[in-house]
Amino acid sequence: MPEIKDEIILRGLKENNLKNVDLNIPKEKIIVFTGLSGSGKSSVVFDTLATESRRQMTLNYPHYVRYQMPRYERPHADLMQNLSPVVVVEQRPTGSNSRSTVGTYMDINPLIRVLFSRIGKPSIGSANEFSSQSSFGRCPECGGFGEVIAPDLNKIIDYNESLRDYAVKFKPLSPSGWQGRWMMTCGLFDPDKPIKDYSEEELHLLLYGPREGERVYAPFHTKHGPQKHEWDGLLPRFTRLYINRDISKLKEVTQDDVLAVSTHSLCPTCQGSGLNPKVLECRINGLNIAEYDQFELTELLEELTNIKDPMGESIAQQAIPHIIQLVEMGLGYLSLSRKMGTLSGGEAQRVKIARHLGSSLNNITYIFDEPSAGLHPEEVDMLIQMMKNLKAQHNTVIVIEHDLSVIKVADEIIEMGPGAGVNGGEVVYQGKLEGLKTSPTATTLNHSLKINKNPRDIESYFTIKRASNNNLKNISVNIPKNVLVSICGVSGSGKSSLMFGAFTESYPETIMVGQGSIGISNRSTLATYMGIMDDIRSIFSKETGQPAGLFSFNSLGACPSCKGKGVLTPDVAFADPVTIPCEACGGTRYSDEALSYRYQDKNMEEILDLTIDEAIIYFKMPKIIKRVNTLKDVGLGYLTLGQTTSSLSGGEIQRLKLASHLQKEGQIYLLDEPSLGLHTKDNGKLLDVFQKLVNRGNSVIIIEHNLEFIAASDWVIELGPGGGKQGGHIIFEGTPEEMLNAETLTAKWLKDGVRKHFT
């Protein structure tokens, strides 16, 4: 009998841009999907394979349970067979609130709390009491936040201005809000007199309220006439309304607004732990829970293995595997108290991977979305070892990846293409590495690094002196102006602390392009994100004499049946959700009336179907042309104006975000790993954008691991030598050519890339 191959069988895949794709994917192998951004990789792996696997897994539960779980629509495909349960590690940032830490995300903190409640001396009681979120465990001084926030008068008040001219800089207390208007009309203060001209008595009343024992009333004018109201002073009011409460719950003002006019310092009562001093008295081997929280993971591991109490040892043994997982991913320098929101992209990616690797189940399909994103070449080796271990445990590993060293270890490569968007959606190659000959990936595999041997002349510098943000070791550095600078180093070496901390504090005018996600929705299009939709609507309005709202599918112009969604999702009770195109508008989202009006022979639907390349020729308005050109500059000319942001790949989102920042006029651009999500073939386009920016007199600074970008820079600064406590030093400054003679980790891989032609 012929041997039956166990493989995933996919037939007639039609999600997004897929053109009726057929695929057989072998199991218990490392499979790498590659291809240009937008070529269809995510449509196969996430939107088809992962979605169908999850959908079928939920079918095992009773209807009433399934109704409480995420519900998945069956992907557009003719046949999907032999799928196994999936574990998906996506590129999206971890959803982290201000209290989310490595310890809470990895579920290690509950185990540490149980450990202290069982064997800590003196005994406190339940494990919950060791949490800064319990009423007993919370520090009475800072409310469990670990920081004391106090209003900063010099940030709240501009003494040169009057109340009417926004002397109060905090928006809810300024003339734009009811509280600011009350101050101006209550009769206690002259709204047109600069604050610096107030008498001492007037100033005290404004800022601090009436003297002790006194009460002052200020009428509050309403439509029913003046109402009696007590005046309490700006600072007492600010403290009561915006500091003595959970500011993350406020709607009218964001946490950032409050922090912008406040000082925040380590709480002296709990030393930043957020815990009640009584809780901190409970110790194991002389250490309290806050010290456990602050340890680097390698130190914590040592401490946990030293516990000899039988009860404590059994609890510690449950936490140890999670910590080992993080250490093996090269994150031993992190602590449990490290906030998830402060991790770099590469660190967050590896914490997510570690969280999923604690399972001893096998025959699972692990799906990784660009796991090398944000990793130094040295760290990619660790990642590759982890994938090989998963495969050795009889799992299937499917990876979407552009990194050449990951592509080279694949048992099978599937390349999507040949282009992106409408020009992609086909399998252009499936097989072993050796069979790659003429595709975009094959071309880049045989591409060696080109070192910039003619760097631009440096005439002046940005200066940072004695920076000590996070792990920085009191460093001073000169960063050249008007050239392309790369900041490199392993994860946790201090790159973000130096650039997004110390540098932007000294140079607040910097245009920063971080790694945060954009607002993704099926109602947000390229045109709305780039801010040109209003201009297009006003052109139509002017041409036709109709209101601008008629040309919006989120307003008057929406199709009455689908309310501008373009699709209908009928309620099908306990069955899987179903999305069908709206028959009334044919998926255009617009009403018949809206589409009856035309500008230059096109209606709104036809305008939104224009590609970026076509829009450049079609429109005449300079503002639209300028913004559309920035999209073309970053290599997104193939996308349409009406493409929804929810349908874009990771690499496309990265470039869209970059394009939206490039339309701002600035002198200093700081970009955090701009190569994330890009195929090597797209790197050249991005480098061209940076070189043009520099040629126009701007300074471009990139935090980057990608050797191609580092090699093309005019100047390179490397931090290290390690991460965490081992980082925070400047270990190299110079040109890429000079780096070839250095002995740093980045230099090692740069030399390797120059020497070696990949085969």
Side-chain angles (χ1 to χ4, degrees), residues 42-169:
S42 297
S43 299
V44 174
V45 176
F46 289 107
D47 301 338
T48 304
L49 195 152
T51 299
E52 179 63 5
S53 179
R54 286 164 158 172
R55 188 185 75 84
Q56 290 192 26
M57 283 295 292
T58 62
L59 297 180
N60 297 312
Y61 296 95
H63 274 306
Y64 69 92
V65 175
R66 283 166 54 194
Y67 205 62
Q68 309 302 318
M69 298 170 74
R71 299 167 77 205
Y72 301 98
E73 186 173 341
R74 187 185 187 279
H76 296 294
D78 299 338
L79 180 71
M80 295 168 281
Q81 263 185 356
N82 301 351
L83 303 177
S84 55
V86 294
V87 170
V88 176
V89 184
E90 293 188 78
Q91 230 187 63
R92 292 195 184 105
T94 53
S96 55
N97 63 33
S98 60
R99 290 181 189 257
S100 176
T101 63
V102 170
T104 56
Y105 187 79
M106 290 293 293
D107 288 331
I108 299 171
N109 273 16
L111 292 167
I112 302 294
R113 289 201 290 269
V114 170
L115 183 67
F116 271 83
S117 71
R118 296 294 185 273
I119 67 167
K121 297 285 182 286
S123 180
I124 292 289
S126 82
N128 286 344
E129 310 295 21
F130 288 89
S131 165
S132 62
Q133 296 188 53
S134 82
S135 54
F136 174 78
R138 183 182 302 140
C139 169
E141 174 80 9
C142 65
F145 277 101
E147 283 187 331
V148 177
I149 301 174
D152 184 334
L153 203 50
N154 292 321
K155 291 178 181 172
I156 294 177
I157 297 283
D158 182 343
Y159 289 88
N160 293 317
E161 299 294 349
S162 66
L163 288 176
R164 199 184 304 282
D165 288 330
Y166 285 74
V168 182
K169 293 295 171 201

Side-chain angles (χ1 to χ4, degrees), residues 635-654:
L636 295 178
Y638 59 89
L639 296 179
T640 64
L641 288 174
Q643 183 135 5
T644 57
T645 53
S646 58
S647 68
L648 300 176
S649 71
E652 287 169 332
I653 286 170
Q654 181 77 345

Side-chain angles (χ1 to χ4, degrees), residues 525-695:
T525 62
L526 242 66
T528 52
Y529 185 79
M530 291 301 288
I532 56 174
M533 200 62 192
D534 286 344
D535 299 299
I536 294 171
R537 285 196 286 266
S538 66
I539 288 172
F540 264 80
S541 176
K542 204 176 286 181
E543 182 83 3
T544 62
Q546 299 300 314
L550 184 63
F551 305 104
S552 166
F553 53 69
N554 292 320
S555 183
L556 300 175
C559 161
S561 294
C562 65
K563 307 289 187 289
K565 285 184 179 173
V567 292
L568 297 170
T569 46
D571 187 2
V572 284
F574 290 108
D576 290 326
V578 176
T579 304
I580 54 173
C582 173
E583 288 182 12
C585 66
T588 68
R589 302 168 171 235
Y590 283 101
S591 65
D592 289 344
E593 186 194 354
L595 294 181
S596 68
Y597 294 101
R598 308 180 86 77
Y599 165 70
Q600 287 188 16
D601 208 30
K602 290 190 189 299
N603 63 20
M604 278 304 293
E605 179 203 353
E606 291 161 336
I607 294 273
L608 292 179
D609 276 344
L610 290 172
T611 64
I612 300 303
D613 290 336
E614 291 166 343
I616 292 170
I617 300 162
Y618 180 80
F619 288 106
K620 302 286 181 282
M621 191 175 177
K623 180 185 168 188
I624 295 179
I625 299 288
K626 181 187 170 190
R627 295 195 171 185
V628 172
N629 259 318
T630 61
L631 289 167
K632 184 180 173 69
D633 285 345
V634 295
L636 295 178
Y638 59 89
L639 296 179
T640 64
L641 288 174
Q643 183 135 5
T644 57
T645 53
S646 58
S647 68
L648 300 176
S649 71
E652 287 169 332
I653 286 170
Q654 181 77 345
R655 283 185 287 170
L656 175 59
K657 193 166 51 170
L658 178 59
S660 72
H661 283 84
L662 292 182
Q663 70 194 26
K664 298 174 190 167
E665 292 296 334
Q667 272 76 50
I668 315 166
Y669 291 86
L670 171 60
L671 302 104
D672 193 5
E673 295 185 46
S675 74
L676 276 190
L678 294 190
H679 187 279
T680 318
K681 193 165 179 241
D682 295 321
N683 287 345
K685 294 175 188 167
L686 205 50
L687 269 170
D688 284 348
V689 173
F690 297 156
Q691 302 292 13
K692 281 177 191 163
L693 274 174
V694 175
N695 291 341

Side-chain angles (χ1 to χ4, degrees), residues 692-733:
K692 281 177 191 163
L693 274 174
V694 175
N695 291 341
R696 291 207 298 266
N698 298 297
S699 300
V700 178
I701 307 166
I702 56 175
I703 296 175
E704 194 52 88
H705 294 298
N706 188 304
L707 296 171
E708 194 173 343
F709 284 77
I710 294 169
S713 301
D714 298 305
W715 193 256
V716 182
I717 296 169
E718 183 170 0
L719 283 98
K725 286 179 184 170
Q726 277 75 50
H729 299 278
I730 301 281
I731 58 174
F732 175 80
E733 298 172 80

Side-chain angles (χ1 to χ4, degrees), residues 259-305:
L259 296 177
V261 293
S262 314
T263 56
H264 22 120
S265 54
L266 207 62
C267 172
T269 305
C270 67
Q271 291 302 307
S273 68
L275 291 167
N276 191 313
K278 289 176 185 161
V279 170
L280 298 176
E281 285 168 17
C282 178
R283 295 175 181 269
I284 299 173
N285 295 338
L287 298 164
N288 64 28
I289 194 166
E291 289 165 316
Y292 263 52
D293 244 15
Q294 296 296 331
F295 271 146
E296 288 199 354
L297 293 175
T298 45
E299 299 167 324
L300 179 60
L301 201 52
E302 201 176 318
E303 205 53 50
L304 288 173
T305 50

